[in-house]
Amino acid sequence: MKTPALAGLGLLQILPSTAEYVWPSKYDYLEDVLYLHSGYIREGFVDGVNPCSFSSAGEGRQTAAEWVRTAYHDMATHDAAAGTGGLDASIMFETERDENVGDAFNGTFGFISNYYTIRASAADLLALSTVVAVGHCGGPQIPFRAGRVDATEAGPLGVPKPDQDIDTHTQIFAKAGFNTSDMIKMVACGHTLGGIHGKDFPEITFNDTDTNFEHFESNNSFSSFDNTVVTEYLDGSTPNLLVAGQNDTTNSDKRVFGADNNATMHALADPATFQSSCEDILGRMIDTVPSDITLTDPFTPAPIKPYITTFALANATHLTLTGRIRIATDFDSYADQAIHLTYTPRTAQNSSTPLNTTIPTTRAMWKGGTTSGIFRELFAWHEFSVTLPTASSITAFNVTVVRTSTGEQQTYDNAGAGGYALDDALLYQAAQSCRKDGATTITAAVRKEVLSGGGKVGVEMVVKRPRQGVFLPALEVETWEGAAGKEVGEWVLVEVKGELESDSWSTTFDVVAGERRVEFQRMNGLEEECAAL
């Protein structure tokens, strides 16, 4: 909830109150990956397809096309009637099948492994990779929803192959819930990028060298998400070897495109129709999931989003609170914006001097203090660092955005949730935590009343279990129990110790005390020695 409205402040459109962003969200990390591509704070997912023609595997191949292909092959064996299969990352177990020939699939998983966490399933990342690949290549903004769950074993056979007849292809698409026109659109939208790798399909290219790559479109059109694949098919100039190949048995695009006497292809010849049709059909493709999975509403950028870097005991009398506020903005507004926080103390101070509950922020300066997305999103960052007395502490804060030229203000209270909540009853002490090789110590500061109430303190550590023949590891949660130690004012330091294999040195964990949690903390950056407090 925000009060009052501030016309012209330059914020991106905010969702209706029924769908307003509430912090924190279990999808915060995925939202970052979707929107933060370049600038001050970035996840950099777009790097894998920048420029659109790029492939780390060498000239000719195209990662953007391989990302879309991987998502399609994963989805293709969906059974709509049974409610099984769909985009569930089962293809990671299916890469040795002849219907999934080539190393595009493991190449895709190799890239998304950098983002694969307990908060970002492989299936959600396959969907997100399609959104990013299509969008960055000049295609439509496909809505992204989250909530997909990864399969734990291979699914059934059934991905269409080039040498199958049109009846077989039509039946496969129908089984997955797509009609003939849908089939034509999905193939055309997928084949505006990429082409055929001769090493994988020598029976089509008649050249099995590793460097042979025959694009679906002429010139450099393959590096732009446009309808050239359609217009060249209709005017007879197409280089697409699945239309005009020497071996008519494998001319599957020719059969698919003509399956309704070219009615759909003629409609797609209009560029605007092509873009809107691809947004729809590729969106439906990535949203095809097992019937027991419920996806979120489409993501939109959070208008205000806090990032807490440190909330920890500095000593017996003071807490350290540092972090950033991200604001969705535009180039005309961000330089005219200032932000401050107003916090609610945990307890009122018994003092004649009023407590100053305002926390100022400073606009970040490196790289202009902004981050950009691939769909013209712009975010400005404001940093804060403050030491608070433990006697009063903090329970929540609101964020106020001020237009500096006019003094107009807009306050955000976390969609009416009473502010952005902080709980000092359980604090993660990063400075007192460490890892040397696999020996790991995670330290928490826990209020005495939590421990006296019987609250057990521990860590839920995500460990990575390698799987034979599968690129991505399984993610399993181990519970480590803590031991109470030194008292620091009203808190007790609890040390949680465990051993990690090298595969898990870059994992994440939650600190837990009863119902309280400090979630999704990263192992990266821990020192070898734990600092004293």
Side-chain angles (χ1 to χ4, degrees):
M1 184 177 295
K2 54 191 186 301
T3 57
L6 179 55
L9 187 60
L11 302 180
L12 295 182
Q13 183 177 1
I14 297 171
L15 291 172
S17 59
T18 55
E20 278 190 281
Y21 168 76
V22 177
W23 178 88
S25 164
K26 67 178 180 179
Y27 297 115
D28 278 337
Y29 173 65
L30 270 175
E31 196 255 12
D32 286 348
V33 176
L34 178 62
Y35 292 120
L36 306 184
H37 291 284
S38 62
Y40 169 65
I41 299 289
R42 64 190 298 268
E43 293 293 340
F45 199 91
V46 75
D47 293 355
V49 291
N50 187 27
C52 179
S53 58
F54 172 75
S55 171
S56 61
E59 186 177 355
R61 289 178 57 178
Q62 185 181 17
T63 298
E66 294 179 356
W67 286 3
V68 176
R69 182 182 179 218
T70 301
Y72 167 69
H73 276 238
D74 188 54
M75 180 283 306
T77 56
H78 177 65
D79 187 329
T84 58
L87 201 64
D88 59 4
S90 65
I91 195 171
M92 73 174 100
F93 302 97
E94 303 160 3
T95 56
E96 297 300 317
R97 294 177 176 177
D98 64 357
E99 64 187 25
N100 296 324
V101 65
D103 55 10
F105 309 107
N106 278 336
T108 298
F109 284 118
F111 183 83
I112 70 173
S113 67
N114 299 297
Y115 301 88
Y116 173 59
T117 70
I118 201 76
R119 292 288 182 90
S121 69
D124 272 344
L125 290 169
L126 288 180
L128 191 147
S129 70
T130 298
V131 173
V132 172
V134 171
H136 184 63
C137 288
Q141 183 173 359
I142 301 169
F144 174 74
R145 297 170 171 85
R148 296 166 189 82
V149 176
D150 291 342
T152 57
E153 60 185 5
L157 293 163
V159 178
K161 296 191 289 186
D163 60 357
Q164 293 170 325
D165 60 35
I166 188 60
D167 287 341
T168 300
H169 280 188
T170 303
Q171 290 167 11
I172 291 172
F173 275 87
K175 184 177 182 180
F178 299 97
N179 62 30
T180 298
S181 182
D182 294 334
M183 172 181 68
I184 297 167
K185 292 174 184 177
M186 195 178 297
V187 174
C189 295
H191 286 178
T192 186
L193 304 173
I196 304 169
H197 198 182
K199 182 184 73 171
D200 300 327
F201 296 97
E203 72 279 12
I204 297 176
T205 68
F206 294 94
N207 182 341
D208 63 358
T209 62
D210 194 52
T211 57
N212 175 245
F213 197 93
E214 303 292 341
H215 293 113
F216 294 125
E217 299 175 341
S218 60
N219 301 318
N220 290 319
S221 186
F222 75 94
S223 63
S224 177
F225 195 96
D226 58 25
N227 69 339
T228 301
V229 68
V230 174
T231 58
E232 289 185 338
Y233 163 79
L234 291 173
D235 68 19
S237 65
T238 182
N240 182 353
L241 292 185
L242 296 181
V243 172
Q246 298 179 47
N247 183 358
D248 197 52
T249 302
T250 56
N251 282 337
S252 55
D253 279 10
K254 175 184 175 182
R255 294 186 288 272
V256 167
F257 292 164
D260 63 355
N261 295 316
N262 291 334
T264 298
M265 292 297 277
H266 279 296
L268 295 177
D270 174 67
T273 299
F274 180 80
Q275 295 288 334
S276 62
S277 296
C278 291
E279 177 184 343
D280 173 71
I281 197 64
L282 295 180
R284 289 169 56 197
M285 180 186 83
I286 63 175
D287 289 347
T288 297
V289 295
S291 60
D292 60 348
I293 299 299
T294 300
L295 300 179
T296 67
D297 290 336
F299 278 27
T300 57
I304 292 285
K305 187 173 179 181
Y307 294 74
I308 302 301
T309 306
T310 305
F311 183 40
L313 275 181
N315 50 50
T317 59
H318 287 87
L319 294 158
T320 298
L321 176 63
T322 66
R324 302 180 180 92
I325 301 296
R326 190 194 83 186
I327 177 172
T329 186
D330 58 47
F331 282 106
D332 293 330
S333 304
Y334 81 93
D336 193 28
Q337 293 168 342
I339 287 177
H340 66 263
L341 315 183
T342 304
Y343 74 91
T344 302
R346 189 176 193 269
T347 55
Q349 280 190 315
N350 295 320
S351 172
S352 59
T353 303
L355 181 66
N356 182 3
T357 58
T358 298
I359 300 174
T361 72
T362 303
R363 184 182 296 115
M365 300 303 294
W366 190 63
K367 292 198 172 183
T370 61
T371 298
S372 299
I374 62 172
F375 296 109
R376 297 173 298 281
E377 303 94 348
L378 182 69
F379 305 96
W381 298 84
H382 296 251
E383 303 169 329
F384 59 90
S385 179
V386 66
T387 300
L388 302 174
T390 57
S392 54
S393 190
I394 181 175
T395 60
F397 61 87
N398 290 337
V399 178
T400 299
V401 182
V402 181
R403 181 185 287 279
T404 54
S405 61
T406 65
E408 294 173 279
Q409 298 186 3
Q410 185 169 7
T411 297
Y412 291 81
D413 64 355
N414 203 16
Y420 301 89
L422 294 173
D423 185 1
D424 72 354
L426 175 65
L427 302 170
Y428 166 49
Q429 299 291 126
Q432 285 70 52
S433 302
C434 54
R435 178 187 61 79
K436 187 171 185 179
D437 296 327
T440 303
T441 299
I442 304 298
T443 301
V446 187
R447 277 195 175 268
K448 293 176 181 177
E449 61 262 31
V450 174
L451 289 178
S452 64
K456 292 185 177 181
V457 182
V459 163
E460 293 180 359
M461 183 68 67
V462 179
V463 294
K464 301 178 181 180
R465 305 291 190 199
R467 296 182 281 198
Q468 186 174 3
V470 179
F471 198 96
L472 295 179
L475 301 181
E476 299 177 0
V477 177
E478 288 185 353
T479 300
W480 297 359
E481 294 186 2
K486 175 183 177 182
E487 293 187 5
V488 181
E490 295 302 313
W491 286 263
V492 176
L493 297 185
V494 177
E495 287 190 345
V496 185
K497 294 180 179 291
E499 288 284 336
L500 287 173
E501 298 293 332
S502 58
D503 293 319
S504 298
W505 289 358
S506 60
T507 189
T508 63
F509 60 91
D510 294 353
V511 184
V512 182
E515 297 298 317
R516 293 179 168 87
R517 308 178 74 89
V518 181
E519 297 182 314
F520 201 59
Q521 301 300 304
R522 293 185 177 273
M523 289 291 296
N524 296 345
L526 287 186
E527 301 291 342
E528 289 191 354
E529 299 291 335
C530 295
L533 179 62

